[in-house]
């Protein structure tokens, strides 16, 4: 059942078009993540959901009610901010319960509820401390506790983990997942970190320039990016993208550039989202893990040769930076591969995992 519905949701700040007509339905209990680069409109969208920013155009409904003009305390949403927004002069417990007696969040029996939430978050021993006596991770737990206590219909989280160190961020990520699995509260989460987006989201909406580029479950986004922007934004190391000429050979599409020619196998069974006409030029995309270095004897297909520039041991893989027809191409090779800079290697591409984008950046082949 749809819980949140955004129809052509738009926000302009004077001439700045921060959010440019977003259409999205978030299901009851879903964990939806907005991800995108700085300035793409993530926070503004979330603030419109919270009622902290007015809506220029479009409609926002929560639970079937249009709430465009409802103030924040009439929306039954609770927001967790990047900077935690705790009152410095109040204890953790006071911060959590502050304002709980007003508006929608009139919950009786605070003490029991606080104890329960504190237990869930592992902060029982910290309830009497002031924010300055807490670590970043502990403050974040208190901020989450404050939101949990309100038992809202919808959680809104704006980069809640970005002030934590890398290790704590991963731990808190897992805790958030567990919390969501237990509570199943509809959640909208904003981050610029694609790993966070992929690990947390039931679905991930990739935002660019105030618009949704694609919204899909994480694996689908990774395997079938509908635009070149999504292809390059999702995945570390990023997908290789090479400008190519495209030729229709009749039985197959052939992509070519200096030192490189490849017939794309029939895409039957794969997904071609746009189905649009393929022009004579475009961008070929392949992820580093879908390219392999083949040794001389094992080659059977016509070799694509590249020169090795640099190798980077990642521990579980060797990242090999090559030059292919003047362009850079990264290959995620077996760890401990005997590959040296300056060497010429033969490459093989995983035929099932090739992508082609037209000159407008839309996928025309997977
Ligand atoms: P970040 O990850 O850096 O926080 P974001 O994706 O959350 O970025 P927003 O904060 O939503 O981006 O901003 C979107 C655009 O709107 C930006 O160009 C920003 O400069 C602009 N903007 C945001 N708030 C205001 C404001 N109050 N007045 C004018 N412009 C604003």
């Amino acid at each position: 059942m749809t819980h949140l519905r955004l129809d052509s949701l738009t926000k302009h700040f004077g001439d700045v078009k921060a959010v440019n007509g977003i259409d999205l339905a978030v299901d009851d209990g879903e964990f939806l993540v907005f991800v995108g680069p700085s300035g793409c409109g993530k926070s503004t969208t979330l603030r419109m959901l919270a009622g902290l920013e007015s809506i220029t155009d479009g409609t926002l409904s929560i639970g079937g009610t249009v709430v465009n003009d409802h103030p924040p305390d009439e929306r039954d949403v609770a927001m967790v901010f990047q900077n935690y927004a705790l009152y410095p002069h109040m204890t953790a417990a006071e911060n959590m319960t502050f304002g709980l007696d007003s508006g929608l969040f009139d919950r009786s029996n605070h003490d029991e509820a606080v104890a329960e939430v504190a237990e869930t978050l592992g902060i029982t021993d910290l309830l009497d401390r002031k924010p300055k006596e807490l670590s970043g991770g502990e403050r974040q737990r208190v901020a989450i506790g404050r939101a949990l206590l309100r038992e809202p219909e919808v959680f809104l989280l704006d980069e809640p983990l970005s002030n934590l160190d890398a290790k704590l961020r991963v731990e808190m990520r897992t805790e958030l997942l567990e919390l969501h699995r237990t509570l199943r509260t509809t959640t909208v989460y904003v981050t610029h970190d694609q790993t966070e987006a992929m690990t947390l989201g039931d679905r991930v909406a990739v935002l660019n320039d105030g618009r949704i580029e694609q919204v899909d479950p994480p694996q689908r986004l990774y395997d079938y990016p509908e635009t070149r922007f999504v292809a390059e934004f999702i995945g570390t190391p990023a997908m290789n993208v090479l400008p190519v000429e495209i030729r229709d050979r009749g039985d197959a599409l052939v992509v070519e550039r200096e030192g490189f020619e490849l017939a794309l196998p029939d895409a039957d069974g794969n997904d071609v989202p746009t189905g649009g006409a393929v022009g004579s030029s475009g961008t070929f995309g392949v992820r580093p893990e879908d390219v392999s270095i083949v040794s001389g004897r094992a080659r059977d297909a016509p070799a694509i040769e590249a020169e090795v520039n640099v190798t980077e041991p990642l521990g579980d893989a060797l990242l090999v930076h090559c030059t292919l027809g003047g362009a850079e191409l990264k290959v995620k090779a077996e760890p401990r591969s005997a590959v040296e800079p300056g060497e010429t290697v033969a490459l093989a591409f995983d035929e099932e995992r090739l992508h082609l984008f037209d000159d407008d950046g839309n996928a025309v082949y997977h």
Side-chain angles (χ1 to χ4, degrees):
M1 200 185 90
T2 299
H3 196 168
L4 284 175
R5 179 178 286 281
L6 290 63
D7 285 306
S8 304
L9 203 68
T10 300
K11 177 71 191 182
H12 295 172
F13 295 104
D15 291 340
V16 180
K17 296 181 173 162
V19 178
N20 251 324
I22 289 189
D23 295 310
L24 182 68
V26 182
D27 284 342
D28 218 356
E30 187 175 12
F31 198 122
L32 188 283
V33 180
F34 278 116
V35 69
S38 183
C40 69
K42 309 179 291 291
S43 296
T44 304
T45 304
L46 200 71
R47 291 171 60 80
M48 283 194 280
L49 301 188
L52 300 173
E53 204 75 77
S54 64
I55 294 169
T56 307
D57 215 345
T59 39
L60 168 65
S61 336
I62 301 180
T65 307
V66 175
V67 296
N68 280 40
D69 299 319
H70 288 202
D73 60 356
E74 286 176 21
R75 294 191 182 194
D76 210 359
V77 301
M79 182 141 162
V80 177
F81 297 89
Q82 179 176 357
N83 61 6
Y84 320 136
L86 299 178
Y87 294 107
H89 59 285
M90 292 184 187
T91 64
E94 287 163 352
N95 262 291
M96 284 164 66
T97 52
F98 183 72
L100 211 51
D101 295 322
S102 66
L104 282 175
F105 304 115
D106 191 3
R107 313 275 184 232
S108 54
N109 211 348
H110 291 175
D111 292 350
E112 207 174 292
V114 169
E116 202 173 298
V117 166
E119 167 102 33
T120 309
L121 294 167
I123 52 172
T124 304
D125 297 339
L126 309 175
L127 288 174
D128 293 331
R129 294 206 201 159
K130 303 244 169 88
K132 68 172 190 305
E133 298 162 332
L134 299 170
S135 73
E138 290 164 350
R139 270 179 232 168
Q140 187 53 278
R141 284 188 173 83
V142 173
I144 292 170
R146 181 174 53 189
L148 286 181
L149 265 184
R150 276 143 183 81
E151 298 179 355
E153 283 280 319
V154 182
F155 279 127
L156 304 172
L157 298 103
D158 191 1
E159 306 244 9
L161 307 184
S162 62
N163 286 339
L164 306 179
D165 68 43
K167 187 164 173 284
L168 197 54
R169 206 154 56 218
V170 174
E171 281 172 25
M172 284 298 288
R173 208 165 73 197
T174 314
E175 286 182 24
L176 284 178
L177 269 179
E178 281 168 7
L179 212 53
H180 183 253
R181 196 172 309 131
T182 313
L183 301 174
R184 285 283 156 207
T185 305
T186 307
T187 302
V188 182
Y189 186 104
V190 159
T191 179
H192 64 274
D193 179 338
Q194 51 106 4
T195 310
E196 214 165 277
M198 297 286 281
T199 48
L200 283 171
D202 292 321
R203 284 187 307 153
V204 177
V206 181
L207 272 188
N208 178 28
D209 223 3
R211 292 177 199 281
I212 292 184
E213 291 265 333
Q214 183 172 356
V215 51
D216 262 318
Q219 195 64 50
R220 170 115 201 140
L221 214 52
Y222 190 84
D223 290 341
Y224 298 107
E226 282 172 13
T227 65
R228 185 178 154 179
F229 179 88
V230 173
E232 291 189 84
F233 191 78
I234 300 288
T236 325
M239 183 186 285
N240 295 296
V241 286
L242 306 171
V244 286
E245 303 287 312
I246 305 169
R247 187 159 48 85
D248 192 346
R249 200 176 66 186
D251 63 332
L253 286 177
V254 178
V255 296
E256 54 193 339
R257 58 177 285 125
E258 185 195 337
F260 166 62
E261 183 177 303
L262 192 68
L264 302 179
D266 188 1
D268 255 10
N270 283 339
D271 203 44
V272 185
T274 63
V278 181
S280 59
S281 64
T283 306
F284 169 73
V286 63
R287 295 204 181 273
E289 69 268 29
D290 298 326
V291 190
S292 50
I293 295 174
V294 287
S295 68
R297 283 193 198 129
R299 287 183 215 165
D300 44 9
I304 293 167
E305 294 194 325
E307 188 176 333
V308 176
N309 300 325
V310 183
T311 60
E312 274 181 83
L314 303 177
D316 62 343
L318 184 73
L319 191 64
V320 183
H321 297 255
C322 306
T323 305
L324 175 66
E328 204 214 344
L329 185 96
K330 297 179 291 297
V331 179
K332 210 166 175 188
E334 290 296 314
R336 298 171 281 278
S337 298
V339 180
E340 297 292 336
E343 195 181 323
T344 298
V345 290
L347 303 178
F349 295 86
D350 182 344
E351 292 196 339
E352 300 286 308
R353 316 215 56 86
L354 307 177
H355 308 267
L356 190 59
F357 304 94
D358 65 18
D359 285 333
D360 294 326
N362 294 313
V364 288
Y365 174 93
H366 289 299

